[in-house]
Amino acid sequence: MGKKIYSASNGVYSTQMKRLSNTGIINLFDGHFISETIKHEKPSPYFFDFCLKTSSKVPKSAILIVGDSPTSDVQGAINSGIDSCFYKYTQRPPTKSRWVVFRTESPVSA
C-alpha cells in the first residue's frame, strides 16, 4: 500500500500555497489542508476531523502527524487521538544535506 502525504497548515490559503510552490515541494503532496478554507485552526479537533474525513480512508492508528509546533501540531494530534512527532528545525541544517528522510520498516508505535 502506498503512502499518502498531506500538508496541514494554519494560515491564509494563498500564502501557504505560495510558500509550498516557491520551495518546489507543492507537488510532493497528495493534498493540502489550510485553516482558512477549513474554517478551523490547529489544534482544534474540528481541523483534524476535517482532514481525516476528506483524506484517504485509513485508521487513525496508521497516521503520524509531524509538526513544528508543540501546541498546534503535536497537542492537536494528541487531542484527536492521532500519533504525533515534534520536528525541531534550525535556520542552518545540521549537515550539508537539504533533506532529512525518516524511514521505518514497520508501523510506528508508541
Side-chain angles (χ1 to χ4, degrees), residues 11-25:
V12 176
Y13 181 84
S14 60
T15 302
Q16 301 306 326
M17 298 306 286
K18 184 175 181 179
R19 287 178 178 167
L20 291 169
S21 182
N22 287 346
T23 59
I25 64 171

Side-chain angles (χ1 to χ4, degrees), residues 35-70:
S35 62
E36 179 184 47
T37 59
I38 296 173
K39 306 295 184 210
H40 294 282
E41 290 189 349
K42 300 177 289 178
S44 169
Y46 297 110
F47 182 94
F48 291 94
D49 289 344
F50 180 90
C51 296
L52 291 170
K53 289 177 185 174
T54 58
S55 62
S56 300
K57 304 291 183 201
V58 296
K60 285 184 180 182
S61 62
I63 297 172
L64 176 67
I65 300 289
V66 179
D68 62 353
S69 169

Side-chain angles (χ1 to χ4, degrees), residues 3-7 28-32:
K3 306 291 184 203
K4 299 286 185 182
I5 300 175
Y6 297 90
S7 69
L28 298 177
F29 297 93
D30 295 292
H32 307 279

Side-chain angles (χ1 to χ4, degrees), residues 2 13 23 27 36 39 42 51 53 62 64 67 77 83 85 89 95 98 101-102 104 107 110:
Y13 181 84
T23 59
N27 293 324
E36 179 184 47
K39 306 295 184 210
K42 300 177 289 178
C51 296
K53 289 177 185 174
L64 176 67
D83 289 337
C85 174
Y89 63 91
T95 67
R98 292 181 61 201
V101 178
F102 295 93
T104 180

Side-chain angles (χ1 to χ4, degrees), residues 63-110:
I63 297 172
L64 176 67
I65 300 289
V66 179
D68 62 353
S69 169
T71 55
S72 295
D73 302 320
V74 175
Q75 192 60 53
I78 291 169
N79 293 347
S80 294
I82 303 169
D83 289 337
S84 61
C85 174
F86 177 64
Y87 171 71
K88 183 177 179 181
Y89 63 91
T90 61
Q91 294 296 326
R92 292 186 323 182
T95 67
K96 292 181 182 181
S97 172
R98 292 181 61 201
W99 301 97
V100 177
V101 178
F102 295 93
R103 296 176 190 224
T104 180
E105 298 299 318
S106 60
V108 177
S109 60

